[in-house]
Amino acid sequence: MLRQFCKRFFCLPYWKEKQRDPTLPDTRQAYRNVLDIAVPSVAEMLLISLISSVDMMMVGTLGKEALSAVGLTSQPRLVVLCFFTALNVGVSAVCAHRKGEGRRQEANQTLRISLALSLLLSLALLALTLPFSEPLMRLAGGTDDNAQNAAVLSQAVDYFRILTYSLPLNALSLSICAAQRGIGRAKVTFQVNVLSNLINVAFNYLLIEGRFGFPRMEVRGAAVASVIGIAAGFLFALLTVCGPRSPKRFLQLSLRGSWKAGDSLASVLKIGGNAMIEQIGMRIGFFICGRIYFALGTTQFAAHQICMQVLNLTFAFGDGLGVAATSLVGQSLGQKRPEWAVAYGKICQRCAVVLSLALMALLALGRQFIAQLYIDPQTTDAAQVVAAAARTLVVLAFMQPFQINAFAIAGGLRGAGDNLYVAVVAMVCVSLIRPALVYVSVYVLHFDLAAIWVMAMSEMALRCLCFYPRFVSGQWKNIKV
């Protein structure tokens, strides 16, 4: 019975789409096509999250104040980056369709336009955010009402200011990687981020505590290390589209190519504009939630930051499958093969189920060990921080099936250009429902951190329940990109 269930669940011949379109690849090849994109994408995002976690662990050796300071900057940084995240959703989807249509010139025009937009936007945001670093940290919840909070605020401002200088290079690198993911070259973006993050870790080791003659810079050293890593990643990303081997590749950046906006700009802005609604709404929601969490106190907020780091690690699996779904659904629709798009979307969902169950077991069983990795046990209140984080990781474990499936299904809808629906659902859930639930949990019900996370993560289940019927309906097959 189990074998028959697995066949019906995982194998294409048991799906009705196979009967309607006999040109579908066999089950083995279809899964291989998904995994060829998903595995390097998951590896890339997992590496980024792992390095971020290592970064946080290294900062954690300085104590809970340093841990809270870096955590305080996370939402303001993501608010700034959300504009590029939204733009790059459009870049990936458009490049995927152009690859499927075989229109190399238009794909390269999309890349050039996205780089020009990213550069202009990043310079504008750099000029706007740099002078207001301290007000932004205060808006995120930072205060100087006592010595401990004042130390957190001061370190957060320093960290944010230094990182802001790397914004143009970061934005350009993100655009190149988005285009490469769209055409299915996820291995390139993996290599870019491997280099960037390894350099980041190396300089963290040298600069946080001052080793081998380097100055001890503590939290500022972690920021400088991140800037160096981002710069190295940008240079490598640039070489993938304008290096000596680039003429043989589908994407090639050339100054002599057309820089006119044309249809490429309209297509990117159409999809990216919808994604912008989603990103701004989500960032506002997370920003509000972060401010509320900071009001719990340094100990609880440090535990929250540990759980957020683990949450980012789990996002890597959902994001990676979402990238595969975006690329293959987009390419299939560009080739006028909607049943292929349906099949690839379903395969990504099946992979999401398997991954989420494995992650659920890992987090539930290893919660204490995982929490202990992020803070030096000799620092003040470390035991309380670990205990609160371990309890909260149980909540995160049991939300994995909803979380990873939501990301995978949303990726397929984005690949089809159905971004407006995804954006509206995400915006309502994250910018309205989640902050309201967190506010009630903290200020009305006075829950502990784990119970607050139960309320906050429940909106992820709602997102999943909204995305799945939309994908099954097939309305996205006829969207023109």
Side-chain angles (χ1 to χ4, degrees):
M1 183 179 293
L2 179 61
R3 185 177 180 182
Q4 189 66 20
F5 170 79
C6 290
K7 282 185 176 181
R8 291 187 177 278
F9 189 75
F10 291 108
C11 297
L12 268 67
Y14 289 87
W15 301 351
K16 61 182 181 180
E17 285 77 17
K18 181 68 177 178
Q19 300 169 6
R20 297 210 304 262
D21 187 351
T23 68
L24 275 169
D26 60 47
T27 298
R28 185 184 299 271
Q29 185 60 48
Y31 275 90
R32 185 180 294 118
N33 292 342
V34 169
L35 294 177
D36 281 346
I37 299 175
V39 170
S41 295
V42 168
E44 171 201 347
M45 295 173 189
L46 189 59
L47 177 70
I48 294 171
S49 298
L50 278 171
I51 298 301
S52 177
S53 292
V54 171
D55 198 30
M56 189 68 78
M57 291 174 194
M58 289 179 167
V59 171
T61 62
L62 302 173
K64 64 179 184 180
E65 289 83 5
L67 200 62
S68 296
V70 174
L72 187 62
T73 67
S74 61
Q75 292 309 320
R77 286 171 54 208
L78 290 172
V79 168
V80 174
L81 288 175
C82 79
F83 298 97
F84 307 102
T85 303
L87 175 67
N88 291 330
V89 168
V91 173
S92 289
V94 173
C95 285
H97 277 258
R98 300 301 173 258
K99 175 70 182 293
E101 295 162 354
R103 296 165 63 185
R104 181 172 183 252
Q105 183 177 347
E106 287 79 3
N108 282 292
Q109 185 183 35
T110 301
L111 173 62
R112 287 191 293 272
I113 294 303
S114 69
L115 290 175
L117 283 174
S118 294
L119 180 60
L120 292 174
L121 184 58
S122 64
L123 291 174
L125 287 172
L126 175 65
L128 286 172
T129 56
L130 196 59
F132 300 102
S133 298
E134 184 172 338
L136 279 172
M137 294 305 103
R138 289 183 180 276
L139 187 63
T143 65
D144 53 6
D145 55 355
N146 58 55
Q148 192 176 72
N149 286 343
V152 171
L153 178 62
S154 175
Q155 293 178 80
V157 170
D158 287 343
Y159 189 87
F160 183 81
R161 279 177 178 160
I162 294 169
L163 269 184
T164 301
Y165 285 109
S166 67
L167 184 59
L169 297 182
N170 198 6
L172 293 173
S173 180
L174 289 172
S175 288
I176 295 172
C177 289
Q180 296 282 22
R181 288 192 195 99
I183 65 168
R185 293 192 70 206
K187 291 180 181 178
V188 170
T189 62
F190 172 71
Q191 293 165 352
V192 168
N193 284 291
V194 166
L195 175 67
S196 175
N197 286 288
L198 288 179
I199 290 175
N200 180 13
V201 168
F203 277 94
N204 270 341
Y205 179 78
L206 296 172
L207 295 173
I208 289 177
E209 295 192 8
R211 294 183 172 93
F212 299 105
F214 284 85
R216 179 184 173 90
M217 301 178 68
E218 299 187 345
V219 170
R220 286 179 295 174
V224 171
S226 295
V227 171
I228 295 171
I230 288 169
F234 163 70
L235 292 175
F236 188 83
L238 193 61
L239 285 175
T240 67
V241 291
C242 63
R245 297 178 60 186
S246 61
K248 300 178 182 179
R249 297 167 179 158
F250 190 79
L251 287 178
Q252 178 192 13
L253 183 63
S254 172
L255 294 176
R256 287 179 283 184
S258 173
W259 289 80
K260 294 181 179 179
D263 294 336
S264 298
L265 178 62
S267 298
V268 168
L269 292 181
K270 177 184 175 183
I271 298 175
N274 292 334
M276 185 73 71
I277 298 172
E278 173 187 359
Q279 286 296 316
I280 291 176
M282 289 178 66
R283 294 279 64 89
I284 291 173
F286 281 121
F287 193 97
I288 295 170
C289 289
R291 183 180 175 88
I292 297 172
Y293 280 117
F294 192 78
L296 294 172
T298 306
T299 299
Q300 292 292 302
F301 189 69
H304 170 70
Q305 287 307 314
I306 291 173
C307 296
M308 287 299 293
Q309 287 298 314
V310 179
L311 176 64
N312 290 336
L313 285 171
T314 64
F315 276 167
F317 296 94
D319 281 336
L321 288 171
V323 167
T326 297
S327 179
L328 291 171
V329 169
Q331 290 183 42
S332 298
L333 293 176
Q335 295 168 353
K336 310 300 182 187
R337 288 171 166 167
E339 300 310 325
W340 287 43
V342 172
Y344 283 129
K346 288 189 173 183
I347 288 172
C348 289
Q349 292 168 35
R350 267 59 174 180
C351 293
V353 170
V354 174
L355 277 173
S356 64
L357 293 176
L359 278 173
M360 182 169 64
L362 178 64
L363 291 173
L365 296 175
R367 59 189 184 277
Q368 190 75 21
F369 173 75
I370 293 169
Q372 290 171 342
L373 293 173
Y374 286 87
I375 188 167
D376 188 335
Q378 303 303 318
T379 58
T380 307
D381 295 332
Q384 291 92 321
V385 171
V386 169
R391 289 194 299 271
T392 308
L393 287 176
V394 177
V395 178
L396 179 59
F398 284 94
M399 290 305 300
Q400 288 309 297
F402 296 106
Q403 175 188 309
I404 296 182
N405 272 283
F407 275 74
I409 300 169
L413 294 173
R414 288 191 183 100
D418 197 10
N419 293 78
L420 183 59
Y421 181 81
V422 174
V424 171
V425 170
M427 184 182 68
V428 170
C429 288
V430 181
S431 64
L432 298 178
I433 296 176
R434 180 183 284 236
L437 292 174
V438 172
Y439 181 89
V440 170
S441 301
V442 173
Y443 293 113
V444 179
L445 301 175
H446 306 290
F447 283 162
D448 66 0
L449 188 64
I452 295 168
W453 268 61
V454 171
M455 299 284 280
M457 292 292 289
S458 63
E459 63 83 15
M460 189 67 73
L462 179 60
R463 267 195 270 178
C464 185
L465 294 174
C466 289
F467 290 152
Y468 183 74
R470 181 72 169 192
F471 184 85
V472 171
S473 73
Q475 297 178 35
W476 44 270
K477 295 179 187 178
N478 300 317
I479 298 175
K480 185 177 180 181
V481 174

